[in-house]
Amino acid sequence: GGVIFAAPLRRERRAEAERAALRQRQSKALVLLERAQASLQDAHSGSDSKRTLELADEALQRAEEAAAAGEALGADAPAHVTREVAAIRLGARRLRAETLARGTPSEREAARHLFRGLLEETGDPDLRLLLGRLELEGGHCRAALAQFNEVLAQEPDRAEAFYYRAEAHRRAGAAHYALLDYERALRDRSKLVAVRAPKVLVGRALAHLALGETSKAREDLSEANKLDLREPLLRLGRAELYRAEGRLEDALTELAFGARTFPRVARLRHAAGRGWIRAGDPARAQAELDAAAALGSDPAVLVARARLAALLGRDEAAQSDLAEAAERTLPEDPARAQLRLVQARLLRVQGRERE
């Protein structure tokens, strides 16, 4: 009789042991998931970019470990593990992209690729707007326009998307289209979230100047000044207005002051560099263009620096900057035409007229 009762007892003990082992494996998967979530939360509060990227990578690694543990459990995996792992992967990749987008030119290029991959998965208009801004900062006006058009197709009243599309139009030479979008951005200023009205007004002033409308540009710059005297691009707008009025010394003074006051604004450093080239001060021009190249990703800065090097007879340095600019421009970019012009001038100076 003892033998008859022993077999079911052994089976029950084995089953209980298997259930305990399963619970332990499930618990391990949940612990790994919690660690991944904690790493991502820490990454969002990272003290600096380097630490944020390290923690985002850690979150990705721990998410993969949790995913592997869940896959090993198969149908016995906790129901939410797969869903939460997907959310952590997406969140960590997005955080990496957003962090790299604030970094060096090479890091911004990496961010562009990350954003493209994320957009294929999500179609998120916020990510699309960020990608469009990166395209614009890199001088890719047509690529930026494509992204902003998509954002506005999804969110037709998004004011900052109108601003950035206006900037892309203006930098591509389509000032009339730019004015229409600046107007839309300013129609309801309460909807301007990521961009403030003074910056939009400066952009509209620059579009007016491109069309020779100096009085309208002056009005916009005056209003921007009243709203926020410390808007960095206000200095750029004033300088362009002074140039249009023939006040070249005043224009250079504005740019020099702006570059000193806002040393982290690449567009100001770039404009100041070009101003010093026109003023015949190559040393100051070089310093400003070097700073702009380190801060931003617009290849137009490299073209301007190549032009300066060519003027100084430093052909090797000019060729180096032109080669890098060629790698970073697209055929339809405005900087590509500027690049070819500098190349042609350099070849002519070298006596290579046919080329």
Side-chain angles (χ1 to χ4, degrees):
V3 174
I4 295 174
F5 288 105
L9 184 60
R10 285 196 296 271
R11 286 196 296 270
E12 179 60 30
R13 287 175 177 172
R14 282 198 299 269
E16 179 57 36
E18 289 172 0
R19 288 193 292 269
L22 176 60
R23 287 194 295 271
Q24 187 174 11
R25 290 160 60 204
Q26 290 173 329
S27 177
K28 179 181 178 181
L30 292 174
V31 168
L32 291 170
L33 180 64
E34 290 173 1
R35 288 177 179 174
Q37 291 170 328
S39 293
L40 182 57
Q41 185 175 354
D42 290 343
H44 278 288
S45 57
S47 56
D48 55 52
S49 296
K50 182 180 179 182
R51 184 59 179 156
T52 296
L53 291 172
E54 288 174 350
L55 288 168
D57 287 341
E58 181 180 279
L60 282 170
Q61 180 180 347
R62 288 180 170 176
E64 295 307 317
E65 293 171 355
E71 289 171 4
L73 286 166
D76 294 318
H80 67 291
V81 168
T82 301
R83 182 180 65 253
E84 293 298 327
V85 163
I88 293 167
R89 284 170 172 163
L90 182 62
R93 288 164 59 207
R94 177 170 182 157
L95 183 58
R96 274 187 58 79
E98 291 173 349
T99 303
L100 290 170
R102 298 189 294 270
T104 64
S106 61
E107 288 174 332
R108 293 179 192 180
E109 183 63 25
R112 285 175 62 216
H113 291 291
L114 284 173
F115 278 130
R116 289 194 188 105
L118 288 167
L119 277 171
E120 289 179 3
E121 298 176 29
T122 67
D124 185 342
D126 291 337
L127 290 175
R128 196 173 294 283
L129 186 67
L130 287 170
L131 175 57
R133 290 176 58 185
L134 280 177
E135 298 284 17
L136 185 59
E137 289 173 9
H140 311 310
C141 296
R142 187 177 297 179
L145 281 169
Q147 299 301 330
F148 299 140
N149 286 338
E150 288 288 339
V151 173
L152 288 167
Q154 292 176 269
E155 300 182 357
D157 295 325
R158 189 154 185 174
E160 65 263 34
F162 280 112
Y163 165 72
Y164 286 116
R165 191 171 72 174
E167 287 286 291
H169 278 309
R170 181 178 61 77
R171 296 185 207 182
H176 285 98
Y177 288 118
L179 283 176
L180 294 174
D181 278 342
Y182 285 127
E183 294 290 344
R184 289 292 300 272
L186 290 166
R187 185 174 296 173
D188 185 352
R189 299 187 185 188
S190 66
K191 293 182 179 179
L192 285 169
V193 179
V195 179
R196 299 176 66 247
K199 182 174 287 188
V200 183
L201 288 164
V202 171
R204 190 169 70 176
L206 292 171
H208 281 308
L209 288 172
L211 297 171
E213 300 169 348
T214 54
S215 60
K216 291 182 178 179
R218 192 179 299 108
E219 290 173 6
D220 277 341
L221 292 172
S222 176
E223 185 180 354
N225 184 71
K226 290 176 183 176
L227 291 173
D228 186 0
L229 179 63
R230 287 190 59 79
E231 164 55 48
L233 294 183
L234 183 58
R235 301 294 170 180
L236 177 60
R238 282 178 176 168
E240 291 301 313
L241 175 63
Y242 293 153
R243 279 190 66 205
E245 294 173 338
R247 299 163 58 186
L248 301 185
E249 289 188 11
D250 290 336
L252 185 56
T253 299
E254 280 288 342
L255 289 174
F257 180 80
R260 287 196 307 271
T261 309
F262 306 102
R264 301 290 302 171
V265 179
R267 287 176 64 187
L268 276 174
R269 306 301 294 269
H270 180 195
R274 290 190 335 225
W276 287 118
I277 290 177
R278 289 191 293 267
D281 193 329
R284 288 184 177 179
Q286 185 75 54
E288 294 297 343
L289 292 174
D290 286 347
L295 289 168
S297 55
D298 190 345
V301 176
L302 297 174
V303 175
R305 195 167 66 177
R307 179 187 168 212
L308 174 62
L311 290 171
L312 297 175
R314 295 163 47 205
D315 292 358
E316 187 175 342
Q319 291 287 12
S320 176
D321 274 340
L322 289 174
E324 185 177 349
E327 290 180 359
R328 286 164 52 177
T329 54
L330 301 174
E332 66 272 14
D333 289 348
R336 181 63 68 90
Q338 300 167 14
L339 183 154
R340 288 173 177 164
L341 182 59
V342 175
Q343 283 178 323
R345 288 174 176 169
L346 185 60
L347 291 169
R348 186 175 61 189
V349 170
Q350 294 172 345
R352 299 158 64 183
E353 296 286 346
R354 184 179 296 276
E355 293 179 63

